[in-house]
Amino acid sequence: MADIDVRRATAFDNELLARLGAETFPGNFVGGREPAAMNDYIATRFTPDVMADLLKESGSTFFIAYAGTEPVGYARLREDEVPAEVTPRPVAEIHRLYVLQDHWGQGHGRALIDVCIEEAAARGCSAVWLGAWSENPRALDFYRSLGFEEVGSKIFQLGDEEHHDLILLRPLTA
């Protein structure tokens, strides 16, 4: 297993984040049928320009995980609209947590969650939340093992398809 390092992304990481997003997003659907709109979603959501805009958003912070010198995943922490089921407040959302499939189970996802939690705590948040596809048992088991609990659900629109995401919450402790 390679050494795991995580660093905060800078404005110059937009191309790297776009590449990692395009390569890792399909991993959400491993074991299931790939959505018909997958390629369109990737082509519009994971571009250097889109990532540059997201890097500039107030309350948005990206972290990049490395195996040695190789970037293998990233997470985005953001403060945005919060579902009614998510209490107490203030909270931050772990909006994206993606790791290259070859590096699953090696601690990169855990390292990314840890830095997101540290950042949220430093911002004064009392909890973090995320949405995870209800048909991704591997991801759901991972989040639950880290203390996340289901508090609701929401729809994730991918092209014409509606996917049901579970809303998971983890309180932060002092």
Side-chain angles (χ1 to χ4, degrees):
M1 186 181 326
D3 291 334
I4 298 172
D5 287 313
V6 176
R7 71 167 175 85
R8 186 179 299 262
T10 71
F12 299 106
D13 289 316
N14 61 313
E15 290 182 11
L16 172 60
L17 291 168
R19 180 180 61 79
L20 284 171
E23 291 177 15
T24 57
F25 181 75
N28 290 303
F29 299 94
V30 166
R33 183 180 58 80
E34 184 175 292
M38 177 76 74
N39 290 335
D40 288 341
Y41 185 86
I42 289 171
T44 58
R45 301 290 175 105
F46 298 108
T47 69
D49 288 342
V50 167
M51 290 301 182
D53 289 343
L54 295 176
L55 282 160
K56 293 177 197 172
E57 278 187 9
S58 177
S60 178
T61 305
F62 284 81
F63 298 97
I64 302 170
Y66 287 81
T69 60
E70 177 189 3
V72 298
Y74 76 92
R76 178 182 181 211
L77 186 74
R78 72 178 184 174
E79 296 174 44
D80 200 12
E81 291 183 33
V82 179
E85 302 92 338
V86 175
T87 58
R89 310 272 173 97
V91 297
E93 178 187 10
I94 300 174
H95 181 242
R96 292 188 174 151
L97 177 70
Y98 298 144
V99 174
L100 294 171
Q101 194 169 348
D102 289 349
H103 295 274
W104 287 0
Q106 297 179 21
H108 298 93
R110 172 66 188 254
L112 287 164
I113 290 271
D114 288 347
V115 298
C116 286
I117 287 171
E118 289 172 16
E119 176 71 17
R123 293 180 186 185
C125 293
S126 58
V128 292
W129 72 278
L130 55 84
W133 187 37
S134 62
E135 296 181 44
N136 188 340
R138 187 175 193 286
L140 294 171
D141 289 346
F142 170 67
Y143 295 131
R144 289 178 177 132
S145 77
L146 298 176
F148 286 83
E149 295 182 1
E150 182 180 342
V151 296
S153 64
K154 65 185 181 99
I155 298 297
F156 174 72
Q157 194 74 33
L158 188 59
D160 293 336
E161 298 178 19
E162 288 186 348
H163 296 272
H164 298 273
D165 281 0
L166 299 181
I167 298 170
L168 304 172
L169 179 73
R170 178 177 170 186
L172 304 181
T173 56

